[in-house]
Each structure stands twice: as C-alpha cells, then as structure tokens.
Amino acid sequence: MTETTADFHPLSDAVQPVFDTVRARSPHEPEFHQAVHEVLHSIGSVLEKRPEYVDNGVLERLVEPERQVMFRVPWVDDSGKLQVNRGYRVQFSSVLGPYKGGLRFHPSVNLSIIKFLGFEQIFKNALTGQGIGGGKGGSDFDPHGRSDAEVMRFCQSFMNELWHHIGEHTDVPAGDIGVGGREIGYLFGMYRKLTNQHVSGILTGKGIGWGGAQVRTEATGYGAVFFVQEMLAVHGETLEGKRVAVSGSGNVAIYAIEKVTQLGGRAVTASDSSGYVVDDAGIDLGLLRQIKEVERGRIVEYANRRPGARFVERGNVWEVPADIAVPAATQNELSAESAQALIANGVRAVAEGANMPCVPEAVEAFQQAGVLFAPGKAANAGGVATSALEMSQNSARQRWSFADSENRLREIMGDIHDATFRAAERYGTPGDYVAGANIVGFERVADAMIAQGVI
Ligand code: NDP
Ligand code: 2IT
C-alpha cells in the first residue's frame, strides 16, 4: 500500500515532546507514529482547556502499551515442512474494561501495525460506550492458499501461547484481516482444550451455535453504512439512489455492500489485492459471497461470471466515479491522488470501514473540499461494539434476536455520530468528525486514567 510521509505537521507545544519521544523510543514504526500524530493533533485544543490532562501525564502513559507480547508460532505445513511465524498481542489500555480488539493474520503484520491498530482501538472502544479497553494482535502468517488443515494447525499453535495472556475479564480477541469465523473456531477449540473450560466470553465472532451473537458478522459493514446515513441526515440527504464505491471484498466490504443495497443505494465496486471490479448494475451480493466466503477465490472471478461487470487488474478503485466511498481493505490504501480523483468526480461522503485506510493528506483534502468524512474509529466501531454485545450475552447466558441486535447496533452508531458531531462543534471545528472522535474517545479514557491514579 501507499507509503506515508515521514514528515508530520508540527504539533502544539503541549504535545510535540510526547510525539518526539514516541518516535525516538519506537523508531521504524511509521504506522504507529501516524496514528499517534492524528490523535495528538486533534486534542491540542482540549489540553488548553483541561490542563489536568497534561499535569497527570495522561499522554505519556497512553502512548506506551500496558503490555506487549511477541512469540514464536511453529507449525508444520501439508508437505511436512516446519514453518515459523511471529505472533503478537499488544495490550494497550485496560482503563475502561478488558483489552478488546481483533487478531490480524497477514504477511505484512509487524509490531508497528499491531501498535497502530491497538492504539486506535483504545479510542474506538471508548466511543462505543461499552466498557472495553484497547488491544490488538495477530501474526505475519498468510492464510491465502493454505488448506483448512494448515490454518487449523497454525491457529492451534498460535493459541498454544496466546491462552496464557487472555481471559474473559482480561483480554478478549476477535477477528480482523485474515481472521474470520473459521479461524475463530479453531482458536476457540484450542483454548477450550488447553484450559478444560468452555468460557464463551474468551473470544468474540464465534459461530451462532456455540456462543456467537447475531449480527456480529455483519456489524462492521452495517455500522459504517449507518454512520454514513447519520452524516447525510444532518444535511437532509439519504442513501437512496447514491452510487457507492467500496474497496476490499472481505468481511467489512461484503456487509457494507449489503446494507447500502438494503437502504436503496447502489454499490458498484469491490476489490482485493489483485485489482478491482466495477458493476454499474450494482454488485450481486450472492455471487460475491459465493466467490469470497465459500470458494475463497479471487475478485477476477466476479467479472468472469457476471455479465456487464469488468475487472481492472492492479487498478485504483478510487478512479471509479461515486457519490460515497467506503474504503474497507487496509491501512493507507487511499492516497492523496485518489482523494483528488474522488473529489473531482463529486464524492459527497467518505466513511472508513477499514482502520486508517486514508493517508493524512487524503483526509485533509476531503475536509478542505467539504466532503463528509468519517474516520475509522467512529465509522467502523460497530464491529467491536457488537463484540461487546456478544460478551454481554455470553455472561448473561442470553441470546438476542437478529432484529434486536441490529436495532442496538443502529442506536450505538447514532450515539457515536451525535457525540462526535457535538464534540467537534464544542471545540470550534464543526463537521470535523476526526477531531470529534479523537476528542470524545480521549476524554473518556483520560478521565478514567486520572480517577484510577498512576498505575
Ligand atoms: P478480510 O480479511 O475479511 O478482508 C480484507 C480485504 O482487504 C480482502 O479483500 C483483502 O484482499 C483486502 N486487503 C487486505 N490487505 C490488503 C492489502 N495489503 N492490499 C490490498 N488489499 C488488501 O478483513 P476485514 O474485512 O475484516 O477487514 C478489513 C479492514 O477493516 C481492516 O482494516 C480491518 O482492520 C478493518 N476492521 C475490521 C473489523 C471486523 O470486524 N472484521 C472491525 C473494524 C475494522 P486479499 O484477499 O487479496 O488480501
Ligand atoms: O478493528 C476492529 O475494531 C476489529 N477488528 C474488531 C475488534 C473486535 O474485538 O471485535
């Protein structure tokens, strides 16, 4: 994906030293620096009004994970060859609740990526109002092209170490890139075997028949589209008839496409790391799910089987004209040039389904052009919020219906929208959802840190 610039805008006097220390202490972690810089930039005005945050060293503490674990994951592939991957779990902040955040299996995974994701997760989880702390984990294992048996052996080996560090009251992992229902199943099975305990609340995103919650699979994509609905509603607009460009074709993308279609919009693109497809008639969700969820195939297959659709190999999906864009693949996938292309084509709203998919220059360009822009912390928080609902149902031994769960998700996304919108107004940057999300998330975490003392 696009490399980001190492030159960050100067920050206010109160936070620049914190940022300098992060870069000095953790060099070679560009994604982590990028995520920290964005938050520090947003909260400059908060620190002026609330000096107690500076006095209590809240920032210095927040940028340092409470704990980080790195471990060896040895496993044997189908040809009998021994493979070694690296596993991670970064437990960033438990001030609001147990560490909560996904596991990512992708060859690009390194400490910088897990730390950026864990750092963002603190504020995202605070925004949900569900009493969950922030963490993230994963491995540089690449599930593409691996058999089910290989994925199972990898997951078992991964859990063989991870189980020491997690617990329903300590740290509750879930899925992310490369980790879906299949992987959660293998991880859960191994945890149960190792501990001789069936603790449902140890992982979220489980199968519906063994402790999983309705709507968790759909929640991130649906939630991002609900957030778009909320932003449009402020301006008296709806999704009806809107053309929507979506990137990725995984969990978040698929269910964003489904909700756009249900709400009267037309999702016209999907992509993977090999290229993108355009389907002006609207993406056929059944076909996309068959190729991606059942066959685990490549996106070119969609164009091969769908008359009128075309595949653009290694193309840039953001060149496709759209009223709304939902980047739902990975970090820094939407460059400054892509933002200009979307703006030139009249884009009205952008919602980050992925974590940090837009480079900082792209975010600035959207905001300057008056495009409604929802950062991932707010727009994709529906996934982890519904994970928290799964945890509640597990501990209460309850099972909510699909309709009740979806209504709860819609309410939570509405609450996140309103809280971020109001915070942006309160601090003199109306319409800036990036500032709003960072401020609300930060205030909730910082207030709890001060109340709980220096620990
Ligand atoms: P999936 O593994 O289900 O899908 C990921 C999709 O993105 C695939 O189409 C994949 O293509 C593509 N992709 C991944 N990495 C790259 C890359 N380096 N270059 C190009 N394409 C890439 O993951 P999810 O849908 O779960 O996650 C997507 C994003 O949403 C991530 O940023 C994740 O952190 C974020 N997110 C996920 C949540 C969840 O509940 N799952 C919750 C909140 C955020 P290919 O198969 O070719 O690699
Ligand atoms: O980035 C995210 O919020 C996730 N991958 C979901 C985390 C979770 O615990 O459900």
Side-chain angles (χ1 to χ4, degrees):
M1 289 286 100
T2 320
E3 286 295 318
T4 55
T5 166
D7 300 322
F8 293 96
H9 295 316
L11 294 162
S12 67
D13 289 350
V15 293
Q16 185 69 47
V18 177
F19 187 59
D20 293 342
T21 304
V22 167
R23 292 183 81 182
R25 186 180 269 167
S26 306
H28 320 300
E29 295 184 2
E31 292 86 1
F32 179 52
H33 301 163
Q34 186 183 336
V36 171
H37 187 274
E38 186 207 280
V39 171
L40 294 182
H41 177 71
S42 291
I43 60 171
S45 50
V46 180
L47 299 180
E48 276 168 29
K49 285 195 189 167
R50 309 274 305 268
E52 68 269 28
Y53 293 146
V54 178
D55 299 343
N56 282 280
V58 165
L59 291 170
E60 288 82 350
R61 287 189 275 157
L62 256 181
V63 296
E64 188 66 21
E66 289 177 11
R67 187 179 298 105
Q68 27 189 344
V69 189
M70 287 171 63
F71 51 94
R72 179 171 65 201
V73 189
W75 57 283
V76 178
D77 71 17
D78 284 348
S79 72
K81 185 166 180 288
L82 187 124
Q83 303 279 347
V84 178
N85 286 99
R86 185 173 288 174
Y88 301 84
R89 188 70 184 168
V90 174
Q91 299 178 327
F92 234 111
S93 170
S94 59
V95 74
L96 294 184
Y99 307 108
K100 184 82 196 86
L103 297 171
R104 176 177 292 190
F105 292 170
H106 191 273
S108 63
V109 162
N110 57 33
L111 189 58
S112 174
I113 287 177
I114 299 299
K115 281 177 69 179
F116 114 66
L117 290 163
F119 185 72
E120 294 245 304
Q121 200 84 44
I122 306 173
F123 307 101
K124 183 197 304 191
N125 293 3
L127 280 172
T128 69
Q130 298 292 304
I132 40 181
K136 200 84 186 191
S139 174
D140 56 2
F141 172 71
D142 185 359
H144 288 107
R146 292 293 179 187
S147 68
D148 284 353
E150 288 177 317
V151 170
M152 181 179 74
R153 287 195 295 276
F154 174 80
C155 288
Q156 291 175 341
S157 179
F158 186 83
M159 186 53 87
N160 205 8
E161 172 64 30
L162 187 70
W163 78 278
H164 292 293
H165 312 288
I166 63 176
E168 63 174 331
H169 303 301
T170 315
D171 184 355
V172 182
D176 194 80
I177 291 176
V179 178
R182 174 182 61 171
E183 291 74 18
I184 293 293
Y186 295 148
L187 292 164
F188 187 82
M190 190 64 178
Y191 182 87
R192 192 168 55 72
K193 172 89 176 170
L194 286 163
T195 58
N196 193 29
Q197 288 182 353
H198 189 116
V199 184
S200 309
I202 189 63
L203 290 168
T204 57
K206 299 179 293 294
I208 298 292
W210 41 278
Q214 297 285 355
V215 185
R216 175 61 191 90
T217 304
E218 295 84 357
T220 311
Y222 279 20
V225 178
F226 290 148
F227 201 94
V228 171
Q229 240 189 336
E230 297 279 344
M231 292 196 298
L232 291 174
V234 172
H235 301 272
E237 299 169 43
T238 70
L239 269 160
E240 189 70 42
K242 298 273 196 307
R243 254 176 85 93
V244 184
V246 177
S247 66
S249 49
N251 174 265
V252 180
I254 286 174
Y255 294 98
I257 291 170
E258 180 166 81
K259 188 48 73 182
V260 162
T261 312
Q262 287 173 0
L263 294 175
R266 195 186 315 158
V268 293
T269 65
S271 71
D272 65 18
S273 54
S274 62
Y276 70 88
V277 291
V278 198
D279 186 346
D280 287 321
I283 294 286
D284 175 340
L285 196 73
L287 177 59
L288 185 66
R289 290 185 61 186
Q290 170 65 27
I291 293 165
K292 285 292 172 180
E293 293 183 341
V294 179
E295 300 170 20
R296 297 182 185 275
R298 306 308 292 158
I299 199 71
V300 63
E301 273 304 306
Y302 181 91
N304 291 345
R305 295 190 215 168
R306 170 88 164 163
R310 72 195 159 85
F311 173 62
V312 183
E313 193 171 358
R314 271 182 277 283
N316 178 3
V317 66
W318 309 119
E319 287 161 8
V320 177
D323 303 309
I324 291 164
V326 182
T330 194
Q331 66 276 353
N332 294 326
E333 58 165 301
L334 198 158
S335 66
E337 298 73 45
S338 299
Q340 293 304 344
L342 281 163
I343 292 165
N345 284 326
V347 74
R348 176 79 183 105
V350 178
E352 292 188 323
N355 287 307
M356 210 169 75
C358 300
V359 303
E361 296 78 6
V363 178
E364 259 178 56
F366 289 134
Q367 291 182 327
Q368 275 167 15
V371 174
L372 299 170
F373 179 80
K377 279 186 197 83
N380 72 39
V384 75
T386 308
S387 278
L389 302 182
E390 183 169 327
M391 290 163 68
S392 304
Q393 290 167 73
N394 290 155
S395 50
R397 295 187 170 273
Q398 285 178 349
R399 299 169 62 82
W400 304 358
S401 70
F402 192 95
D404 286 348
S405 309
E406 190 181 1
N407 284 337
R408 189 73 194 100
L409 170 64
R410 195 182 286 110
E411 263 172 35
I412 292 172
M413 296 313 295
D415 290 348
I416 296 175
H417 174 272
D418 295 352
T420 53
F421 185 82
R422 282 197 307 267
E425 297 218 309
R426 200 166 69 237
Y427 281 97
T429 52
D432 183 344
Y433 290 97
V434 177
N438 285 328
I439 291 168
V440 174
F442 173 74
E443 285 183 336
R444 290 181 184 172
V445 173
D447 289 343
M449 286 175 75
I450 293 175
Q452 293 178 29
V454 179
I455 41 168

